[in-house]
Amino acid sequence: LSPDAPISCGIYRLEAGTPLEYTYTYHEMKIILDGEFDISDETGQKVHATKGDVFYFPKGAKIKFETKTFGLGFYTGQRKEGGA
């Protein structure tokens, strides 16, 4: 492991309402644990994600997360502390 970019992980939950628009400054993997997400990127690509789906978001990706109900995901990425 690099001391400049330790691995971090956690649980991400999104409720119906305001979408999250996020620009990745690091590479991340996410697995959907429960619920659903509508995920889109800056190219217009869209996917409806449900339990068991796995995603890779490369550094620099601009991603929009939305849900009509709720979504719960586990994420892991290599980033500096406070680099979110």
Side-chain angles (χ1 to χ4, degrees):
L1 291 178
S2 168
D4 294 329
I7 294 175
S8 64
C9 62
I11 301 293
Y12 169 65
R13 183 178 180 96
L14 182 67
E15 298 289 335
T18 304
L20 171 69
E21 295 187 32
Y22 191 78
T23 300
Y24 282 90
T25 59
Y26 54 92
H27 302 284
E28 182 182 275
M29 295 290 300
K30 189 181 300 292
I31 183 168
I32 309 307
L33 300 175
D34 200 5
E36 60 185 348
F37 290 96
D38 291 308
I39 302 172
S40 58
D41 67 14
E42 70 275 14
T43 70
Q45 183 176 350
K46 297 180 181 182
V47 65
H48 182 75
T50 58
K51 184 177 181 178
D53 290 343
V54 178
F55 295 91
Y56 167 68
F57 301 108
K59 182 178 181 178
K62 296 177 182 178
I63 305 296
K64 183 176 181 181
F65 296 92
E66 301 177 274
T67 183
K68 294 177 184 168
T69 56
F70 79 98
L72 185 69
F74 173 80
Y75 66 86
T76 187
Q78 190 173 24
R79 64 183 183 191
K80 293 180 180 181
E81 184 175 341

